[in-house]
Amino acid sequence: MTTSHSNRLLRHARPQILARDEAASAAPVADLGTLPDWDLTDLYPAPDAPELQADLDTLSAACTQFAKDYEGRLATLDGPKMLDCIERYQQIDVLAGRIMSYAGLRYYQNTTDAGRAKFMGDLQDRITDDTTKLVFFSLEFNRIPDDRYAEVFAQDGGPARYKPVFDRMRAMRPYQLSDELERFLHDNSVVGAAAWNRLFDETTAGLTFDVGGDTLGIEATLNLMTDHDRARREAASQALAETFGKNIKLFARITNTLAKEKAVEDKWRKMPTPQTARHLSNHVEPEVVEALRAAVTAAYPRLSHRYYRLKAKWLGLDKLQVWDRNAPLPTETPRTIAWPEAQATVLDAYAGFSPKLAELAQPFFDKGWIDAGVKPGKAPGAFAHPTVTTVHPYVLLNYLGKPRDVMTLAHELGHGVHQRLAAAQGELLASTPLTLAETASVFGEMLTFRALLAKTTEPAQRKALIAGKVEDMINTVIRQIAFYDFECKLHAARAQGELTPDDINALWMSVQGESLGDAFEFMPGYETFWTYIPHFIHSPFYVYAYAFGDGLVNALYAAYEDGLPDFQQKYFAMLSAGGSQHHKELLAPFGLDASDPAFWDKGLSMIEKLIDELEAMEA
């Protein structure tokens, strides 16, 4: 279907933002050591490099020739000729991906730089124009009769290894529009969602917050939400609320427009629910997502509600305010972790699992594959961007030296390692559905946490470490399912008419008390905090992938701790599979099945055990 086709060729312009909402931090801090910058020359030497112009020319010619050779003929191709066709299409994908990866990564280094924004926008326009010639490919492919499709993919010398890609594409057949409409949507994409996404990104990056007389950017202000000084945390929260409130009409307009645009396209495609497109792209059944959601919401009382009551007691408070949610414990000693120590911590933890894992992560530090420092206009949060399978991934961080920043490093390196291993599948098969894309990242965090815990014997430090991990898991599981519920409510409400800022605020608050529990009071202004979360804008319903990944990893880690034979070998095989297998096939060697509701309870029980340990420390 064309929107997925278009998004695949242009996805590199907008890297997946993979950090959780409060996990990253960013404000200039001394004594961090030398923080690495990206070296993008592995993609192109410079924006005006002749290599880039040559690839643009090659891409344009390749699209024209591909359409000339194959349009109207796909159903007539035998197995070997279909393989040639698919591999030519894959090479076009690599070319477009390389170009847009370079433009996108330069842009995210400084989203407020008009020249970088124009460079990316111009390239996106040009590639959209060139790849319009390819819109026929998925449309025509999906019209191949089932018996002919099965025959061609079964022939000797045919494209059998690519069948998972096209099985997923053909699952979209019921929602495919006419060729003319699909071409229109493809051409219109650069002035539709992509344009609103850029407006959101540039607006968010340009926001300023007055915290006690200091003018800070969004990441620096969010970082203060984990400050030891409660007054600073409160001041940051109030500053966030004030600025979000001043910009609430713009954020509501962006949200209304994108939700309506999605609803219109879903209506034309006859999608049964707003969530259907995400489930299809994730190659996950709706009932599996609902089993996850039901398990997590049922666990709110025994996980987040229970934990935050404990935290209120530790902080000596009758009620927690929003600025206490991610506060460090009073017994936790403030500590800045320099970059060399963070690198050693994560690599040692990875090596403790397998030397191969550390070897795969090492080049990120040595070869300019990480951009870690805080810079004006730099994209907030953190992500790992795969670029294309013929190059390598890049990791973006906003590193401040807090323990959570070390965990974010472990998380994003997990993505990077996963992307490196999956690259051997080739461009079409390497891409992993979002539900599985979080596996290696969350597993990397778990390895790092367990390695640190094993070395920590002092009770107060151990308590702080476990509490930090519980909070990360609550942010990853509880918060993200609450976010998913917010999105479900928002899209259902938007179907009834335009939403005022107060309408959206009310939907946001309806999930906050339910998920966080009775330990909290919510300050005036907190109702606007939905405004800065990029997933709602860039990737509707993305957020449940975090909870899926955390539950999956908890179950995987339990199997690892139980001594499942050949676990490391099975783990690397799973990551190397990329998107070539369904989650049932990938989890079967571990004796796990995500369609079993008990699977999710097994993952949630790991969080519960950590809270049990914290409660036992109080006895």
Side-chain angles (χ1 to χ4, degrees), residues 548-570:
F548 194 110
D550 197 273
L552 190 157
V553 165
N554 288 344
L556 272 179
Y557 201 86
Y560 172 53
E561 285 190 319
D562 290 343
L564 180 72
D566 301 319
F567 183 92
Q568 283 88 341
Q569 180 181 345
K570 292 173 181 175

PDB file of all heavy atoms in Angstrom, residues 548-570:
ATOM      1  N   PHE A 548       5.407  -3.535  25.345  1.00  0.00           N
ATOM      2  CA  PHE A 548       5.593  -4.847  24.727  1.00  0.00           C
ATOM      3  C   PHE A 548       7.040  -5.288  24.894  1.00  0.00           C
ATOM      4  O   PHE A 548       7.317  -6.418  25.328  1.00  0.00           O
ATOM      5  CB  PHE A 548       5.230  -4.757  23.240  1.00  0.00           C
ATOM      6  CG  PHE A 548       5.053  -6.068  22.533  1.00  0.00           C
ATOM      7  CD1 PHE A 548       3.798  -6.488  22.124  1.00  0.00           C
ATOM      8  CD2 PHE A 548       6.141  -6.881  22.259  1.00  0.00           C
ATOM      9  CE1 PHE A 548       3.633  -7.695  21.443  1.00  0.00           C
ATOM     10  CE2 PHE A 548       5.992  -8.089  21.577  1.00  0.00           C
ATOM     11  CZ  PHE A 548       4.735  -8.497  21.174  1.00  0.00           C
ATOM     12  N   GLY A 549       7.980  -4.379  24.562  1.00  0.00           N
ATOM     13  CA  GLY A 549       9.395  -4.717  24.657  1.00  0.00           C
ATOM     14  C   GLY A 549       9.834  -5.009  26.076  1.00  0.00           C
ATOM     15  O   GLY A 549      10.618  -5.938  26.323  1.00  0.00           O
ATOM     16  N   ASP A 550       9.346  -4.224  27.044  1.00  0.00           N
ATOM     17  CA  ASP A 550       9.755  -4.440  28.433  1.00  0.00           C
ATOM     18  C   ASP A 550       9.230  -5.771  28.953  1.00  0.00           C
ATOM     19  O   ASP A 550       9.959  -6.538  29.601  1.00  0.00           O
ATOM     20  CB  ASP A 550       9.248  -3.293  29.313  1.00  0.00           C
ATOM     21  CG  ASP A 550       9.981  -3.240  30.636  1.00  0.00           C
ATOM     22  OD1 ASP A 550       9.542  -3.927  31.574  1.00  0.00           O
ATOM     23  OD2 ASP A 550      10.997  -2.526  30.750  1.00  0.00           O
ATOM     24  N   GLY A 551       7.952  -6.067  28.676  1.00  0.00           N
ATOM     25  CA  GLY A 551       7.401  -7.344  29.116  1.00  0.00           C
ATOM     26  C   GLY A 551       8.110  -8.516  28.468  1.00  0.00           C
ATOM     27  O   GLY A 551       8.390  -9.534  29.121  1.00  0.00           O
ATOM     28  N   LEU A 552       8.400  -8.375  27.187  1.00  0.00           N
ATOM     29  CA  LEU A 552       9.104  -9.426  26.460  1.00  0.00           C
ATOM     30  C   LEU A 552      10.499  -9.660  27.051  1.00  0.00           C
ATOM     31  O   LEU A 552      10.913 -10.801  27.289  1.00  0.00           O
ATOM     32  CB  LEU A 552       9.192  -9.047  24.980  1.00  0.00           C
ATOM     33  CG  LEU A 552       9.680 -10.070  23.971  1.00  0.00           C
ATOM     34  CD1 LEU A 552       9.163  -9.698  22.581  1.00  0.00           C
ATOM     35  CD2 LEU A 552      11.198 -10.136  23.916  1.00  0.00           C
ATOM     36  N   VAL A 553      11.208  -8.560  27.331  1.00  0.00           N
ATOM     37  CA  VAL A 553      12.570  -8.683  27.859  1.00  0.00           C
ATOM     38  C   VAL A 553      12.559  -9.266  29.266  1.00  0.00           C
ATOM     39  O   VAL A 553      13.426 -10.069  29.628  1.00  0.00           O
ATOM     40  CB  VAL A 553      13.288  -7.323  27.827  1.00  0.00           C
ATOM     41  CG1 VAL A 553      14.542  -7.333  28.693  1.00  0.00           C
ATOM     42  CG2 VAL A 553      13.662  -6.980  26.394  1.00  0.00           C
ATOM     43  N   ASN A 554      11.586  -8.872  30.080  1.00  0.00           N
ATOM     44  CA  ASN A 554      11.511  -9.448  31.420  1.00  0.00           C
ATOM     45  C   ASN A 554      11.343 -10.957  31.356  1.00  0.00           C
ATOM     46  O   ASN A 554      11.963 -11.702  32.126  1.00  0.00           O
ATOM     47  CB  ASN A 554      10.353  -8.820  32.203  1.00  0.00           C
ATOM     48  CG  ASN A 554      10.635  -7.387  32.610  1.00  0.00           C
ATOM     49  OD1 ASN A 554      11.778  -6.944  32.583  1.00  0.00           O
ATOM     50  ND2 ASN A 554       9.599  -6.665  32.977  1.00  0.00           N
ATOM     51  N   ALA A 555      10.498 -11.417  30.427  1.00  0.00           N
ATOM     52  CA  ALA A 555      10.318 -12.859  30.270  1.00  0.00           C
ATOM     53  C   ALA A 555      11.591 -13.510  29.721  1.00  0.00           C
ATOM     54  O   ALA A 555      11.993 -14.593  30.159  1.00  0.00           O
ATOM     55  CB  ALA A 555       9.133 -13.127  29.345  1.00  0.00           C
ATOM     56  N   LEU A 556      12.236 -12.838  28.759  1.00  0.00           N
ATOM     57  CA  LEU A 556      13.499 -13.354  28.225  1.00  0.00           C
ATOM     58  C   LEU A 556      14.567 -13.437  29.312  1.00  0.00           C
ATOM     59  O   LEU A 556      15.296 -14.435  29.418  1.00  0.00           O
ATOM     60  CB  LEU A 556      14.009 -12.434  27.111  1.00  0.00           C
ATOM     61  CG  LEU A 556      13.557 -12.657  25.683  1.00  0.00           C
ATOM     62  CD1 LEU A 556      14.179 -11.606  24.783  1.00  0.00           C
ATOM     63  CD2 LEU A 556      13.917 -14.049  25.190  1.00  0.00           C
ATOM     64  N   TYR A 557      14.665 -12.384  30.117  1.00  0.00           N
ATOM     65  CA  TYR A 557      15.706 -12.352  31.140  1.00  0.00           C
ATOM     66  C   TYR A 557      15.463 -13.424  32.186  1.00  0.00           C
ATOM     67  O   TYR A 557      16.415 -14.021  32.717  1.00  0.00           O
ATOM     68  CB  TYR A 557      15.791 -10.970  31.798  1.00  0.00           C
ATOM     69  CG  TYR A 557      17.137 -10.741  32.450  1.00  0.00           C
ATOM     70  CD1 TYR A 557      18.201 -10.240  31.701  1.00  0.00           C
ATOM     71  CD2 TYR A 557      17.360 -11.064  33.780  1.00  0.00           C
ATOM     72  CE1 TYR A 557      19.446 -10.054  32.267  1.00  0.00           C
ATOM     73  CE2 TYR A 557      18.608 -10.887  34.362  1.00  0.00           C
ATOM     74  CZ  TYR A 557      19.642 -10.369  33.605  1.00  0.00           C
ATOM     75  OH  TYR A 557      20.890 -10.205  34.167  1.00  0.00           O
ATOM     76  N   ALA A 558      14.197 -13.703  32.482  1.00  0.00           N
ATOM     77  CA  ALA A 558      13.894 -14.785  33.417  1.00  0.00           C
ATOM     78  C   ALA A 558      14.384 -16.125  32.861  1.00  0.00           C
ATOM     79  O   ALA A 558      14.939 -16.953  33.594  1.00  0.00           O
ATOM     80  CB  ALA A 558      12.396 -14.836  33.685  1.00  0.00           C
ATOM     81  N   ALA A 559      14.196 -16.323  31.547  1.00  0.00           N
ATOM     82  CA  ALA A 559      14.693 -17.550  30.922  1.00  0.00           C
ATOM     83  C   ALA A 559      16.218 -17.608  30.983  1.00  0.00           C
ATOM     84  O   ALA A 559      16.813 -18.681  31.200  1.00  0.00           O
ATOM     85  CB  ALA A 559      14.218 -17.622  29.468  1.00  0.00           C
ATOM     86  N   TYR A 560      16.866 -16.470  30.794  1.00  0.00           N
ATOM     87  CA  TYR A 560      18.337 -16.389  30.885  1.00  0.00           C
ATOM     88  C   TYR A 560      18.813 -16.740  32.293  1.00  0.00           C
ATOM     89  O   TYR A 560      19.722 -17.557  32.481  1.00  0.00           O
ATOM     90  CB  TYR A 560      18.769 -14.986  30.492  1.00  0.00           C
ATOM     91  CG  TYR A 560      20.233 -14.665  30.712  1.00  0.00           C
ATOM     92  CD1 TYR A 560      21.245 -15.474  30.208  1.00  0.00           C
ATOM     93  CD2 TYR A 560      20.593 -13.508  31.410  1.00  0.00           C
ATOM     94  CE1 TYR A 560      22.582 -15.155  30.402  1.00  0.00           C
ATOM     95  CE2 TYR A 560      21.921 -13.170  31.602  1.00  0.00           C
ATOM     96  CZ  TYR A 560      22.920 -14.007  31.105  1.00  0.00           C
ATOM     97  OH  TYR A 560      24.246 -13.683  31.304  1.00  0.00           O
ATOM     98  N   GLU A 561      18.172 -16.151  33.290  1.00  0.00           N
ATOM     99  CA  GLU A 561      18.561 -16.426  34.674  1.00  0.00           C
ATOM    100  C   GLU A 561      18.283 -17.874  35.066  1.00  0.00           C
ATOM    101  O   GLU A 561      18.988 -18.438  35.910  1.00  0.00           O
ATOM    102  CB  GLU A 561      17.818 -15.487  35.625  1.00  0.00           C
ATOM    103  CG  GLU A 561      18.358 -14.062  35.617  1.00  0.00           C
ATOM    104  CD  GLU A 561      17.770 -13.227  36.736  1.00  0.00           C
ATOM    105  OE1 GLU A 561      16.545 -13.349  36.990  1.00  0.00           O
ATOM    106  OE2 GLU A 561      18.532 -12.470  37.360  1.00  0.00           O
ATOM    107  N   ASP A 562      17.266 -18.458  34.451  1.00  0.00           N
ATOM    108  CA  ASP A 562      16.938 -19.861  34.749  1.00  0.00           C
ATOM    109  C   ASP A 562      17.878 -20.837  34.055  1.00  0.00           C
ATOM    110  O   ASP A 562      17.752 -22.059  34.224  1.00  0.00           O
ATOM    111  CB  ASP A 562      15.492 -20.170  34.346  1.00  0.00           C
ATOM    112  CG  ASP A 562      14.477 -19.480  35.246  1.00  0.00           C
ATOM    113  OD1 ASP A 562      14.870 -19.049  36.350  1.00  0.00           O
ATOM    114  OD2 ASP A 562      13.303 -19.367  34.840  1.00  0.00           O
ATOM    115  N   GLY A 563      18.810 -20.308  33.249  1.00  0.00           N
ATOM    116  CA  GLY A 563      19.817 -21.150  32.614  1.00  0.00           C
ATOM    117  C   GLY A 563      19.336 -21.869  31.372  1.00  0.00           C
ATOM    118  O   GLY A 563      19.770 -23.008  31.108  1.00  0.00           O
ATOM    119  N   LEU A 564      18.465 -21.223  30.587  1.00  0.00           N
ATOM    120  CA  LEU A 564      18.019 -21.849  29.345  1.00  0.00           C
ATOM    121  C   LEU A 564      19.240 -22.190  28.489  1.00  0.00           C
ATOM    122  O   LEU A 564      20.090 -21.331  28.233  1.00  0.00           O
ATOM    123  CB  LEU A 564      17.112 -20.881  28.579  1.00  0.00           C
ATOM    124  CG  LEU A 564      16.552 -21.392  27.248  1.00  0.00           C
ATOM    125  CD1 LEU A 564      15.489 -22.460  27.485  1.00  0.00           C
ATOM    126  CD2 LEU A 564      15.951 -20.244  26.432  1.00  0.00           C
ATOM    127  N   PRO A 565      19.368 -23.435  28.038  1.00  0.00           N
ATOM    128  CA  PRO A 565      20.552 -23.834  27.260  1.00  0.00           C
ATOM    129  C   PRO A 565      20.733 -22.968  26.002  1.00  0.00           C
ATOM    130  O   PRO A 565      19.752 -22.613  25.338  1.00  0.00           O
ATOM    131  CB  PRO A 565      20.255 -25.294  26.885  1.00  0.00           C
ATOM    132  CG  PRO A 565      19.311 -25.777  27.937  1.00  0.00           C
ATOM    133  CD  PRO A 565      18.470 -24.583  28.289  1.00  0.00           C
ATOM    134  N   ASP A 566      21.987 -22.630  25.719  1.00  0.00           N
ATOM    135  CA  ASP A 566      22.353 -21.883  24.507  1.00  0.00           C
ATOM    136  C   ASP A 566      21.606 -20.545  24.395  1.00  0.00           C
ATOM    137  O   ASP A 566      21.261 -20.098  23.299  1.00  0.00           O
ATOM    138  CB  ASP A 566      22.092 -22.721  23.246  1.00  0.00           C
ATOM    139  CG  ASP A 566      22.861 -24.029  23.242  1.00  0.00           C
ATOM    140  OD1 ASP A 566      24.039 -24.016  23.642  1.00  0.00           O
ATOM    141  OD2 ASP A 566      22.271 -25.052  22.864  1.00  0.00           O
ATOM    142  N   PHE A 567      21.355 -19.902  25.534  1.00  0.00           N
ATOM    143  CA  PHE A 567      20.572 -18.672  25.496  1.00  0.00           C
ATOM    144  C   PHE A 567      21.233 -17.616  24.622  1.00  0.00           C
ATOM    145  O   PHE A 567      20.565 -16.976  23.805  1.00  0.00           O
ATOM    146  CB  PHE A 567      20.360 -18.116  26.912  1.00  0.00           C
ATOM    147  CG  PHE A 567      19.498 -16.887  26.937  1.00  0.00           C
ATOM    148  CD1 PHE A 567      18.132 -16.987  27.118  1.00  0.00           C
ATOM    149  CD2 PHE A 567      20.046 -15.613  26.749  1.00  0.00           C
ATOM    150  CE1 PHE A 567      17.322 -15.856  27.119  1.00  0.00           C
ATOM    151  CE2 PHE A 567      19.243 -14.473  26.748  1.00  0.00           C
ATOM    152  CZ  PHE A 567      17.883 -14.600  26.935  1.00  0.00           C
ATOM    153  N   GLN A 568      22.545 -17.401  24.795  1.00  0.00           N
ATOM    154  CA  GLN A 568      23.217 -16.344  24.026  1.00  0.00           C
ATOM    155  C   GLN A 568      23.088 -16.594  22.530  1.00  0.00           C
ATOM    156  O   GLN A 568      22.821 -15.676  21.749  1.00  0.00           O
ATOM    157  CB  GLN A 568      24.693 -16.242  24.428  1.00  0.00           C
ATOM    158  CG  GLN A 568      24.930 -15.538  25.757  1.00  0.00           C
ATOM    159  CD  GLN A 568      24.875 -16.473  26.950  1.00  0.00           C
ATOM    160  OE1 GLN A 568      24.326 -17.574  26.858  1.00  0.00           O
ATOM    161  NE2 GLN A 568      25.465 -16.058  28.066  1.00  0.00           N
ATOM    162  N   GLN A 569      23.282 -17.835  22.132  1.00  0.00           N
ATOM    163  CA  GLN A 569      23.191 -18.172  20.707  1.00  0.00           C
ATOM    164  C   GLN A 569      21.782 -17.899  20.186  1.00  0.00           C
ATOM    165  O   GLN A 569      21.599 -17.329  19.094  1.00  0.00           O
ATOM    166  CB  GLN A 569      23.546 -19.651  20.511  1.00  0.00           C
ATOM    167  CG  GLN A 569      23.490 -20.109  19.059  1.00  0.00           C
ATOM    168  CD  GLN A 569      23.832 -21.600  18.918  1.00  0.00           C
ATOM    169  OE1 GLN A 569      24.379 -22.223  19.841  1.00  0.00           O
ATOM    170  NE2 GLN A 569      23.508 -22.163  17.775  1.00  0.00           N
ATOM    171  N   LYS A 570      20.779 -18.267  20.956  1.00  0.00           N
ATOM    172  CA  LYS A 570      19.396 -18.036  20.555  1.00  0.00           C
ATOM    173  C   LYS A 570      19.090 -16.541  20.511  1.00  0.00           C
ATOM    174  O   LYS A 570      18.350 -16.067  19.631  1.00  0.00           O
ATOM    175  CB  LYS A 570      18.452 -18.752  21.523  1.00  0.00           C
ATOM    176  CG  LYS A 570      18.528 -20.272  21.435  1.00  0.00           C
ATOM    177  CD  LYS A 570      17.706 -20.938  22.539  1.00  0.00           C
ATOM    178  CE  LYS A 570      17.820 -22.461  22.444  1.00  0.00           C
ATOM    179  NZ  LYS A 570      17.137 -23.145  23.561  1.00  0.00           N
TER     180      LYS A 570
END
